[in-house]
Coordinates of all heavy atoms in Angstrom, one line a residue:
M252 N -24.3 -6.4 -31.8 CA -24.6 -7.6 -31.2 C -26.1 -7.8 -31.1 O -26.8 -6.8 -30.8 CB -24.0 -7.7 -29.8 CG -24.3 -9.0 -29.1 SD -23.5 -9.2 -27.4 CE -21.9 -9.8 -27.9
K253 N -26.6 -9.0 -31.3 CA -28.1 -9.2 -31.3 C -28.6 -9.3 -29.9 O -27.9 -9.7 -28.9 CB -28.4 -10.6 -31.9 CG -28.2 -10.6 -33.4 CD -28.6 -12.0 -33.9 CE -28.6 -12.1 -35.4 NZ -29.0 -13.4 -35.9
S254 N -29.8 -8.8 -29.7 CA -30.4 -8.9 -28.4 C -30.7 -10.4 -28.1 O -30.7 -11.2 -29.0 CB -31.7 -8.1 -28.4 OG -32.7 -8.7 -29.2
R255 N -31.0 -10.7 -26.8 CA -31.4 -12.0 -26.4 C -32.6 -12.5 -27.2 O -32.6 -13.7 -27.7 CB -31.7 -12.1 -24.9 CG -32.1 -13.5 -24.4 CD -32.1 -13.5 -22.9 NE -32.7 -14.7 -22.4 CZ -32.2 -15.9 -22.4 NH1 -30.9 -16.0 -22.8 NH2 -32.8 -16.9 -21.9
E256 N -33.6 -11.6 -27.4 CA -34.8 -12.0 -28.2 C -34.4 -12.4 -29.6 O -34.9 -13.3 -30.2 CB -35.8 -10.9 -28.1 CG -37.1 -11.3 -28.8 CD -38.2 -10.2 -28.6 OE1 -38.1 -9.4 -27.7 OE2 -39.1 -10.2 -29.5
E257 N -33.6 -11.6 -30.2 CA -33.2 -11.8 -31.6 C -32.4 -13.1 -31.7 O -32.6 -13.9 -32.7 CB -32.3 -10.7 -32.1 CG -33.1 -9.4 -32.4 CD -32.2 -8.2 -32.7 OE1 -31.1 -8.1 -32.1 OE2 -32.6 -7.4 -33.6
Q258 N -31.6 -13.4 -30.7 CA -30.8 -14.7 -30.7 C -31.7 -15.9 -30.6 O -31.6 -16.9 -31.3 CB -29.8 -14.7 -29.5 CG -28.6 -13.7 -29.7 CD -27.7 -13.7 -28.5 OE1 -28.2 -13.9 -27.4 NE2 -26.5 -13.3 -28.8
I259 N -32.7 -15.8 -29.7 CA -33.7 -16.8 -29.6 C -34.5 -17.0 -30.9 O -34.7 -18.2 -31.3 CB -34.7 -16.6 -28.4 CG1 -33.9 -16.7 -27.1 CG2 -35.9 -17.5 -28.4 CD1 -33.4 -18.1 -26.7
N260 N -34.9 -15.9 -31.5 CA -35.6 -16.0 -32.8 C -34.8 -16.7 -33.8 O -35.3 -17.5 -34.6 CB -36.1 -14.6 -33.2 CG -37.3 -14.1 -32.4 OD1 -38.0 -14.9 -31.8 ND2 -37.4 -12.8 -32.4
T261 N -33.5 -16.4 -33.9 CA -32.6 -17.0 -34.8 C -32.5 -18.5 -34.6 O -32.5 -19.3 -35.5 CB -31.2 -16.4 -34.7 OG1 -31.2 -15.0 -35.1 CG2 -30.2 -17.1 -35.7
F262 N -32.4 -18.9 -33.3 CA -32.4 -20.3 -32.9 C -33.7 -21.0 -33.3 O -33.6 -22.1 -33.9 CB -32.2 -20.3 -31.4 CG -32.4 -21.7 -30.8 CD1 -31.4 -22.6 -30.9 CD2 -33.6 -22.0 -30.1 CE1 -31.6 -23.9 -30.3 CE2 -33.8 -23.2 -29.6 CZ -32.8 -24.2 -29.7
V263 N -34.8 -20.4 -33.1 CA -36.1 -21.0 -33.4 C -36.2 -21.1 -34.9 O -36.6 -22.2 -35.4 CB -37.3 -20.1 -32.9 CG1 -38.6 -20.5 -33.5 CG2 -37.3 -20.2 -31.4
D264 N -35.8 -20.1 -35.7 CA -35.8 -20.2 -37.2 C -34.9 -21.3 -37.6 O -35.3 -22.1 -38.6 CB -35.4 -18.9 -37.8 CG -36.4 -17.8 -37.6 OD1 -37.6 -18.1 -37.3 OD2 -36.0 -16.6 -37.8
A265 N -33.7 -21.5 -37.0 CA -32.8 -22.5 -37.4 C -33.4 -23.9 -37.2 O -33.2 -24.8 -38.0 CB -31.4 -22.4 -36.7
F266 N -34.0 -24.1 -36.1 CA -34.6 -25.4 -35.8 C -35.7 -25.7 -36.8 O -35.8 -26.8 -37.3 CB -35.2 -25.4 -34.3 CG -34.4 -26.2 -33.4 CD1 -33.3 -25.5 -32.8 CD2 -34.6 -27.5 -33.1 CE1 -32.5 -26.2 -31.9 CE2 -33.8 -28.2 -32.2 CZ -32.8 -27.5 -31.6
R267 N -36.6 -24.7 -37.0 CA -37.7 -25.0 -38.0 C -37.2 -25.2 -39.4 O -37.7 -26.0 -40.1 CB -38.6 -23.8 -37.9 CG -39.4 -23.8 -36.6 CD -40.5 -22.7 -36.6 NE -41.2 -22.8 -35.3 CZ -41.7 -21.8 -34.7 NH1 -41.5 -20.5 -35.1 NH2 -42.3 -21.9 -33.6
K268 N -36.1 -24.6 -39.8 CA -35.5 -24.7 -41.1 C -35.1 -26.1 -41.4 O -35.2 -26.7 -42.5 CB -34.4 -23.8 -41.3 CG -33.8 -23.8 -42.7 CD -32.6 -22.9 -42.8 CE -33.1 -21.5 -43.3 NZ -32.0 -20.6 -43.6
V269 N -34.6 -26.8 -40.3 CA -34.1 -28.2 -40.5 C -35.2 -29.2 -40.1 O -34.9 -30.4 -40.0 CB -32.8 -28.5 -39.8 CG1 -31.7 -27.6 -40.4 CG2 -32.9 -28.3 -38.3
G270 N -36.4 -28.7 -39.8 CA -37.5 -29.6 -39.5 C -37.5 -30.2 -38.0 O -38.2 -31.2 -37.8
L271 N -36.8 -29.5 -37.1 CA -36.8 -29.9 -35.7 C -37.9 -29.1 -34.9 O -38.0 -27.9 -35.2 CB -35.5 -29.8 -35.1 CG -34.4 -30.7 -35.7 CD1 -33.0 -30.3 -35.1 CD2 -34.7 -32.1 -35.4
R272 N -38.5 -29.8 -34.0 CA -39.5 -29.1 -33.2 C -38.8 -28.2 -32.2 O -37.7 -28.5 -31.7 CB -40.3 -30.1 -32.4 CG -41.3 -30.9 -33.2 CD -42.2 -31.8 -32.4 NE -41.5 -32.5 -31.3 CZ -42.0 -32.6 -30.1 NH1 -43.1 -32.2 -29.8 NH2 -41.3 -33.2 -29.2
V273 N -39.4 -27.1 -31.9 CA -39.0 -26.1 -30.9 C -39.7 -26.5 -29.6 O -40.9 -26.3 -29.5 CB -39.2 -24.7 -31.3 CG1 -38.8 -23.7 -30.2 CG2 -38.5 -24.4 -32.6
T274 N -39.0 -27.0 -28.6 CA -39.6 -27.4 -27.4 C -39.0 -26.6 -26.2 O -38.0 -25.9 -26.4 CB -39.2 -28.9 -27.1 OG1 -37.8 -29.0 -26.9 CG2 -39.6 -29.9 -28.2
Q275 N -39.8 -26.6 -25.1 CA -39.3 -25.8 -24.0 C -37.9 -26.3 -23.5 O -37.1 -25.5 -23.1 CB -40.3 -26.0 -22.8 CG -40.1 -25.1 -21.6 CD -40.1 -23.6 -22.0 OE1 -40.9 -23.2 -22.8 NE2 -39.3 -22.8 -21.4
Q276 N -37.7 -27.6 -23.6 CA -36.4 -28.1 -23.2 C -35.3 -27.5 -24.1 O -34.2 -27.1 -23.6 CB -36.4 -29.6 -23.1 CG -37.2 -30.2 -22.1 CD -37.4 -31.7 -22.2 OE1 -37.4 -32.2 -23.2 NE2 -37.6 -32.3 -21.0
R277 N -35.5 -27.5 -25.4 CA -34.5 -27.0 -26.3 C -34.3 -25.5 -26.1 O -33.2 -25.0 -26.1 CB -34.9 -27.3 -27.7 CG -34.7 -28.7 -28.1 CD -35.0 -29.0 -29.5 NE -34.7 -30.3 -29.9 CZ -35.4 -31.1 -30.7 NH1 -36.5 -30.7 -31.3 NH2 -35.0 -32.3 -31.0
L278 N -35.4 -24.8 -25.8 CA -35.3 -23.3 -25.6 C -34.5 -23.1 -24.3 O -33.7 -22.1 -24.3 CB -36.7 -22.7 -25.5 CG -37.4 -22.6 -26.8 CD1 -38.9 -22.1 -26.5 CD2 -36.7 -21.6 -27.7
E279 N -34.7 -23.8 -23.3 CA -34.0 -23.7 -22.0 C -32.5 -24.0 -22.1 O -31.7 -23.3 -21.6 CB -34.7 -24.5 -20.9 CG -36.0 -24.0 -20.5 CD -36.1 -22.6 -19.8 OE1 -35.0 -22.1 -19.4 OE2 -37.2 -22.1 -19.8
I280 N -32.2 -25.1 -22.9 CA -30.8 -25.4 -23.1 C -30.1 -24.3 -23.9 O -29.0 -23.8 -23.5 CB -30.7 -26.7 -23.9 CG1 -31.1 -27.9 -22.9 CG2 -29.3 -26.9 -24.4 CD1 -31.2 -29.3 -23.6
Q281 N -30.8 -23.8 -24.9 CA -30.2 -22.7 -25.7 C -30.0 -21.4 -24.8 O -29.0 -20.8 -24.9 CB -31.1 -22.3 -26.9 CG -30.6 -21.1 -27.7 CD -29.2 -21.4 -28.4 OE1 -28.9 -22.6 -28.5 NE2 -28.5 -20.4 -28.7
G282 N -31.0 -21.1 -23.9 CA -30.8 -20.0 -23.0 C -29.6 -20.2 -22.1 O -28.9 -19.2 -21.9
E283 N -29.4 -21.4 -21.6 CA -28.3 -21.7 -20.7 C -27.0 -21.5 -21.5 O -26.0 -21.0 -21.0 CB -28.3 -23.1 -20.1 CG -29.3 -23.2 -19.0 CD -28.9 -22.3 -17.8 OE1 -27.7 -22.1 -17.5 OE2 -29.9 -21.7 -17.2
L284 N -27.0 -22.0 -22.8 CA -25.8 -21.9 -23.6 C -25.5 -20.4 -23.9 O -24.3 -20.0 -23.9 CB -25.9 -22.7 -24.9 CG -25.9 -24.2 -24.7 CD1 -26.3 -24.9 -26.0 CD2 -24.6 -24.7 -24.2
M285 N -26.5 -19.6 -24.1 CA -26.3 -18.2 -24.4 C -25.7 -17.5 -23.1 O -24.9 -16.5 -23.3 CB -27.6 -17.6 -24.8 CG -28.0 -18.0 -26.2 SD -29.7 -17.5 -26.7 CE -29.8 -15.8 -26.2
K286 N -26.1 -17.9 -22.0 CA -25.7 -17.3 -20.7 C -24.3 -17.7 -20.3 O -23.6 -17.0 -19.6 CB -26.6 -17.6 -19.6 CG -27.9 -16.9 -19.7 CD -28.8 -17.0 -18.4 CE -28.8 -18.4 -17.8 NZ -29.8 -18.6 -16.7
A287 N -23.9 -18.9 -20.8 CA -22.6 -19.5 -20.3 C -21.4 -18.7 -20.7 O -21.3 -18.2 -21.8 CB -22.5 -20.9 -20.8
T288 N -20.5 -18.6 -19.7 CA -19.2 -18.0 -20.0 C -18.2 -19.1 -20.1 O -17.0 -18.8 -20.4 CB -18.8 -17.0 -18.9 OG1 -18.8 -17.7 -17.7 CG2 -19.8 -15.8 -18.9
D289 N -18.6 -20.3 -19.9 CA -17.7 -21.5 -20.1 C -18.2 -22.3 -21.2 O -19.0 -21.9 -22.0 CB -17.6 -22.2 -18.8 CG -19.0 -22.7 -18.3 OD1 -20.0 -22.3 -18.9 OD2 -19.1 -23.5 -17.3
H290 N -17.6 -23.5 -21.3 CA -18.0 -24.5 -22.4 C -18.6 -25.6 -21.6 O -18.0 -26.6 -21.3 CB -16.9 -24.9 -23.2 CG -16.3 -23.8 -24.0 ND1 -16.8 -23.3 -25.1 CD2 -15.2 -23.0 -23.7 CE1 -16.1 -22.3 -25.6 NE2 -15.1 -22.1 -24.7
P291 N -19.9 -25.5 -21.2 CA -20.5 -26.5 -20.3 C -20.7 -27.9 -21.0 O -21.0 -28.0 -22.1 CB -21.9 -25.9 -19.9 CG -22.2 -25.0 -21.1 CD -20.9 -24.5 -21.6
T292 N -20.5 -28.9 -20.2 CA -20.7 -30.3 -20.6 C -22.2 -30.5 -20.5 O -23.0 -29.7 -19.9 CB -20.0 -31.3 -19.7 OG1 -20.5 -31.2 -18.4 CG2 -18.5 -31.0 -19.7
A293 N -22.7 -31.7 -21.0 CA -24.1 -32.1 -20.8 C -24.4 -32.1 -19.3 O -25.5 -31.7 -18.9 CB -24.3 -33.4 -21.5
E294 N -23.5 -32.7 -18.5 CA -23.7 -32.8 -17.1 C -23.9 -31.5 -16.5 O -24.8 -31.3 -15.6 CB -22.6 -33.6 -16.4 CG -22.5 -35.0 -16.8 CD -21.7 -35.3 -18.0 OE1 -21.2 -34.4 -18.7 OE2 -21.5 -36.5 -18.3
T295 N -23.1 -30.5 -16.8 CA -23.1 -29.1 -16.3 C -24.5 -28.5 -16.7 O -25.1 -27.9 -15.9 CB -22.0 -28.3 -16.8 OG1 -20.7 -28.9 -16.4 CG2 -22.0 -26.9 -16.2
L296 N -24.9 -28.6 -18.0 CA -26.1 -28.1 -18.4 C -27.3 -28.7 -17.6 O -28.2 -28.0 -17.2 CB -26.3 -28.3 -19.9 CG -25.5 -27.4 -20.8 CD1 -25.6 -27.9 -22.2 CD2 -26.0 -26.0 -20.7
Y297 N -27.2 -30.0 -17.4 CA -28.3 -30.7 -16.7 C -28.4 -30.1 -15.3 O -29.5 -29.8 -14.8 CB -28.0 -32.2 -16.6 CG -28.8 -32.9 -15.6 CD1 -30.2 -33.1 -15.8 CD2 -28.2 -33.4 -14.4 CE1 -30.9 -33.7 -14.8 CE2 -29.0 -34.1 -13.5 CZ -30.3 -34.2 -13.7 OH -31.1 -34.9 -12.8
Q298 N -27.3 -29.9 -14.6 CA -27.3 -29.4 -13.2 C -27.9 -28.0 -13.2 O -28.6 -27.6 -12.3 CB -25.9 -29.4 -12.6 CG -25.3 -30.8 -12.4 CD -26.1 -31.5 -11.3 OE1 -26.6 -31.0 -10.4 NE2 -26.2 -32.8 -11.5
R299 N -27.6 -27.2 -14.2 CA -28.1 -25.8 -14.3 C -29.6 -25.8 -14.6 O -30.3 -24.9 -14.1 CB -27.3 -25.0 -15.3 CG -25.9 -24.8 -14.9 CD -25.1 -24.1 -16.0 NE -23.7 -23.9 -15.6 CZ -22.8 -23.5 -16.5 NH1 -23.1 -23.1 -17.7 NH2 -21.5 -23.5 -16.1
L300 N -30.0 -26.7 -15.3 CA -31.4 -26.7 -15.8 C -32.4 -27.4 -14.9 O -33.6 -27.1 -14.9 CB -31.5 -27.4 -17.2 CG -30.9 -26.6 -18.3 CD1 -30.7 -27.5 -19.5 CD2 -31.8 -25.4 -18.7
R301 N -32.0 -28.3 -14.1 CA -32.9 -29.2 -13.3 C -33.8 -28.4 -12.3 O -34.8 -28.9 -12.0 CB -32.3 -30.4 -12.7 CG -31.3 -30.1 -11.7 CD -30.5 -31.3 -11.3 NE -29.7 -31.1 -10.2 CZ -29.7 -31.7 -9.0 NH1 -30.4 -32.8 -8.9 NH2 -28.9 -31.4 -8.1
L302 N -33.3 -27.2 -11.9 CA -34.2 -26.4 -11.0 C -35.3 -25.8 -11.7 O -36.4 -25.7 -11.2 CB -33.3 -25.4 -10.3 CG -32.3 -25.9 -9.3 CD1 -31.5 -24.8 -8.7 CD2 -32.9 -26.7 -8.2
K303 N -35.1 -25.4 -13.0 CA -36.1 -24.8 -13.8 C -37.0 -25.8 -14.4 O -38.2 -25.6 -14.6 CB -35.5 -24.0 -15.0 CG -35.0 -22.7 -14.7 CD -34.7 -22.0 -16.0 CE -33.5 -21.1 -15.9 NZ -33.2 -20.5 -17.2
L304 N -36.4 -27.0 -14.8 CA -37.1 -28.1 -15.4 C -36.9 -29.3 -14.6 O -36.1 -30.2 -15.0 CB -36.6 -28.3 -16.9 CG -36.7 -27.1 -17.8 CD1 -35.9 -27.4 -19.1 CD2 -38.1 -26.8 -18.1
P305 N -37.7 -29.5 -13.5 CA -37.4 -30.6 -12.7 C -37.6 -32.0 -13.3 O -37.1 -33.0 -12.9 CB -38.4 -30.4 -11.5 CG -39.2 -29.3 -11.8 CD -38.7 -28.6 -13.1
T306 N -38.3 -32.0 -14.4 CA -38.6 -33.3 -15.1 C -37.5 -33.7 -16.2 O -37.5 -34.8 -16.7 CB -39.9 -33.4 -15.8 OG1 -40.0 -32.3 -16.8 CG2 -41.0 -33.2 -14.8
I307 N -36.6 -32.7 -16.4 CA -35.5 -33.0 -17.4 C -34.5 -34.0 -16.8 O -34.3 -34.1 -15.6 CB -34.8 -31.7 -17.8 CG1 -34.1 -31.9 -19.2 CG2 -33.9 -31.2 -16.8 CD1 -33.6 -30.7 -19.9
S308 N -34.0 -34.9 -17.7 CA -33.0 -35.8 -17.3 C -31.7 -35.6 -18.0 O -31.7 -34.9 -19.1 CB -33.5 -37.3 -17.6 OG -33.5 -37.5 -19.0
L309 N -30.6 -36.1 -17.5 CA -29.4 -36.0 -18.2 C -29.4 -36.7 -19.6 O -28.9 -36.1 -20.5 CB -28.3 -36.7 -17.3 CG -26.9 -36.7 -17.9 CD1 -26.4 -35.3 -18.3 CD2 -25.9 -37.4 -17.0
D310 N -30.1 -37.8 -19.6 CA -30.3 -38.4 -21.0 C -30.9 -37.5 -22.0 O -30.6 -37.5 -23.1 CB -31.1 -39.7 -20.8 CG -30.3 -40.9 -20.2 OD1 -29.0 -40.8 -20.2 OD2 -30.9 -41.8 -19.8
T311 N -31.9 -36.8 -21.5 CA -32.6 -35.8 -22.4 C -31.6 -34.8 -22.9 O -31.6 -34.5 -24.1 CB -33.8 -35.2 -21.7 OG1 -34.7 -36.2 -21.3 CG2 -34.5 -34.1 -22.6
V312 N -30.9 -34.2 -22.0 CA -29.9 -33.2 -22.4 C -28.9 -33.8 -23.4 O -28.6 -33.2 -24.5 CB -29.1 -32.6 -21.2 CG1 -28.0 -31.7 -21.6 CG2 -30.1 -31.9 -20.3
I313 N -28.4 -35.0 -23.2 CA -27.5 -35.7 -24.1 C -28.1 -35.9 -25.4 O -27.5 -35.7 -26.5 CB -26.9 -36.9 -23.4 CG1 -26.0 -36.6 -22.2 CG2 -26.2 -37.8 -24.4 CD1 -25.6 -37.8 -21.4
E314 N -29.4 -36.3 -25.4 CA -30.1 -36.6 -26.7 C -30.4 -35.3 -27.5 O -30.4 -35.3 -28.7 CB -31.4 -37.3 -26.4 CG -31.2 -38.7 -26.0 CD -32.5 -39.4 -25.5 OE1 -33.6 -38.8 -25.8 OE2 -32.4 -40.4 -24.9
I315 N -30.6 -34.2 -26.8 CA -30.9 -32.9 -27.5 C -29.7 -32.2 -28.1 O -29.8 -31.6 -29.1 CB -31.7 -32.0 -26.5 CG1 -33.1 -32.5 -26.3 CG2 -31.7 -30.6 -27.0 CD1 -33.9 -31.7 -25.2
L316 N -28.6 -32.3 -27.4 CA -27.4 -31.6 -27.9 C -27.0 -31.8 -29.3 O -26.5 -30.8 -30.0 CB -26.2 -31.8 -26.9 CG -26.4 -31.1 -25.6 CD1 -25.2 -31.5 -24.7 CD2 -26.4 -29.6 -25.8
P317 N -27.1 -33.0 -29.9 CA -26.7 -33.1 -31.3 C -27.5 -32.2 -32.3 O -27.1 -32.0 -33.4 CB -26.9 -34.6 -31.6 CG -26.8 -35.3 -30.3 CD -27.4 -34.3 -29.3
S318 N -28.6 -31.7 -31.8 CA -29.5 -30.9 -32.7 C -28.7 -29.6 -33.1 O -28.9 -29.1 -34.1 CB -30.7 -30.4 -31.9 OG -31.5 -31.5 -31.5
W319 N -27.8 -29.2 -32.2 CA -27.0 -28.0 -32.5 C -26.0 -28.3 -33.7 O -25.8 -27.4 -34.5 CB -26.2 -27.5 -31.3 CG -27.1 -26.6 -30.4 CD1 -27.0 -25.3 -30.2 CD2 -28.2 -27.0 -29.5 NE1 -28.0 -24.8 -29.4 CE2 -28.7 -25.9 -28.9 CE3 -28.8 -28.2 -29.3 CZ2 -29.8 -25.9 -28.0 CZ3 -29.8 -28.3 -28.4 CH2 -30.3 -27.1 -27.8
Q320 N -25.5 -29.5 -33.8 CA -24.7 -29.9 -34.9 C -25.5 -29.9 -36.2 O -25.1 -29.4 -37.2 CB -24.1 -31.2 -34.7 CG -22.9 -31.2 -33.7 CD -22.4 -32.6 -33.6 OE1 -23.0 -33.5 -33.1 NE2 -21.1 -32.8 -34.0
I321 N -26.7 -30.5 -36.1 CA -27.6 -30.5 -37.3 C -27.9 -29.1 -37.8 O -27.9 -28.9 -39.0 CB -28.9 -31.3 -36.9 CG1 -28.7 -32.7 -36.6 CG2 -30.0 -31.1 -38.0 CD1 -29.8 -33.4 -36.0
M322 N -28.0 -28.2 -36.9 CA -28.3 -26.8 -37.3 C -27.1 -26.0 -37.7 O -27.2 -24.9 -38.2 CB -29.1 -26.1 -36.2 CG -30.4 -26.6 -35.9 SD -31.3 -25.7 -34.7 CE -30.1 -25.4 -33.4
G323 N -25.9 -26.6 -37.5 CA -24.7 -25.9 -37.8 C -24.3 -24.9 -36.8 O -23.5 -24.0 -37.0
L324 N -24.8 -25.0 -35.6 CA -24.5 -24.1 -34.5 C -23.4 -24.5 -33.6 O -22.9 -23.8 -32.8 CB -25.8 -23.8 -33.6 CG -26.9 -23.2 -34.3 CD1 -28.1 -23.0 -33.4 CD2 -26.6 -21.8 -34.9
S325 N -23.0 -25.8 -33.8 CA -21.8 -26.3 -33.1 C -21.1 -27.3 -34.0 O -21.7 -27.9 -34.9 CB -22.1 -26.9 -31.7 OG -22.8 -28.2 -32.0
T326 N -19.8 -27.5 -33.8 CA -19.1 -28.4 -34.6 C -18.9 -29.7 -34.0 O -18.6 -30.7 -34.7 CB -17.7 -27.8 -35.0 OG1 -17.0 -27.4 -33.8 CG2 -17.9 -26.6 -35.9
R327 N -18.9 -29.8 -32.7 CA -18.7 -31.0 -32.0 C -19.1 -30.9 -30.5 O -19.0 -29.8 -29.9 CB -17.2 -31.3 -32.0 CG -16.8 -32.7 -31.4 CD -15.4 -33.0 -31.5 NE -14.6 -32.1 -30.7 CZ -13.3 -32.3 -30.4 NH1 -12.7 -33.2 -30.9 NH2 -12.7 -31.4 -29.6
W328 N -19.6 -32.0 -30.0 CA -19.9 -32.0 -28.6 C -19.5 -33.4 -28.1 O -19.6 -34.4 -28.8 CB -21.4 -31.7 -28.3 CG -22.3 -32.7 -28.7 CD1 -22.9 -32.8 -29.9 CD2 -22.9 -33.8 -27.9 NE1 -23.7 -33.9 -30.0 CE2 -23.7 -34.5 -28.8 CE3 -22.7 -34.3 -26.6 CZ2 -24.4 -35.7 -28.4 CZ3 -23.4 -35.4 -26.2 CH2 -24.2 -36.1 -27.1
R329 N -19.2 -33.5 -26.9 CA -18.8 -34.8 -26.3 C -19.3 -34.8 -24.8 O -19.4 -33.8 -24.2 CB -17.3 -35.0 -26.2 CG -16.6 -35.2 -27.5 CD -15.2 -35.7 -27.2 NE -14.4 -34.5 -27.1 CZ -13.1 -34.5 -27.0 NH1 -12.5 -35.7 -27.0 NH2 -12.4 -33.5 -27.0
H330 N -19.6 -36.0 -24.3 CA -19.9 -36.1 -22.9 C -19.0 -37.2 -22.3 O -18.6 -38.1 -23.0 CB -21.4 -36.4 -22.6 CG -21.8 -37.8 -23.1 ND1 -22.2 -38.0 -24.4 CD2 -22.0 -38.9 -22.4 CE1 -22.6 -39.3 -24.5 NE2 -22.4 -39.8 -23.3
R331 N -18.7 -37.1 -21.1 CA -17.8 -38.0 -20.4 C -18.6 -39.3 -20.2 O -19.7 -39.3 -19.8 CB -17.4 -37.4 -19.1 CG -16.5 -38.3 -18.3 CD -16.1 -37.6 -17.0 NE -17.3 -37.3 -16.2 CZ -17.5 -36.2 -15.5 NH1 -16.6 -35.3 -15.4 NH2 -18.6 -36.1 -14.8
Q332 N -17.9 -40.4 -20.5 CA -18.5 -41.7 -20.2 C -18.5 -42.0 -18.8 O -17.5 -41.8 -18.1 CB -17.8 -42.8 -21.0 CG -17.8 -42.7 -22.5 CD -19.2 -42.9 -23.0 OE1 -20.0 -43.7 -22.5 NE2 -19.6 -42.2 -24.1
V333 N -19.6 -42.5 -18.2 CA -19.7 -42.7 -16.8 C -19.5 -44.2 -16.6 O -20.0 -45.0 -17.3 CB -21.1 -42.2 -16.2 CG1 -21.1 -42.5 -14.7 CG2 -21.2 -40.8 -16.5

């Protein structure tokens, strides 16, 4: 199994390979996804991240998540309509 640092490096390389910027918000979302033992929704990720990133919004999390599909790291994501 890869170490956390190796997993992050793989993530960073995947983002750069498809021409996406590596931002603190994307890194924090990836970190939360790596720690998760569940399949968190965008809302759940937002709740977990807002203490570390007080300026992050739910809209930002929702907008960032499709990047994982672009990179081939997820096959589908959905969020509940409010």
Side-chain angles (χ1 to χ4, degrees):
M252 180 179 276
K253 290 183 176 183
S254 70
R255 179 172 168 78
E256 184 176 338
E257 289 171 323
Q258 289 174 333
I259 291 292
N260 288 337
T261 298
F262 169 77
V263 167
D264 290 343
F266 258 84
R267 289 185 175 145
K268 184 182 267 186
V269 297
L271 294 171
R272 290 184 320 135
V273 178
T274 64
Q275 187 62 35
Q276 292 171 327
R277 285 182 173 143
L278 288 171
E279 292 294 341
I280 289 173
Q281 180 62 21
E283 283 300 319
L284 290 171
M285 288 169 47
K286 289 189 314 190
T288 57
D289 57 352
H290 299 281
T292 64
E294 291 90 353
T295 301
L296 286 170
Y297 166 70
Q298 291 298 324
R299 292 175 185 172
L300 289 165
R301 64 189 188 129
L302 293 177
K303 279 193 219 177
L304 300 171
T306 60
I307 199 166
S308 69
L309 177 57
D310 285 343
T311 298
V312 174
I313 290 169
E314 288 173 14
I315 287 175
L316 285 176
S318 303
W319 276 254
Q320 284 181 296
I321 292 168
M322 295 184 316
L324 297 177
S325 71
T326 54
R327 181 176 72 166
W328 70 275
R329 290 191 270 186
H330 68 276
R331 182 180 57 217
Q332 296 294 326
V333 182

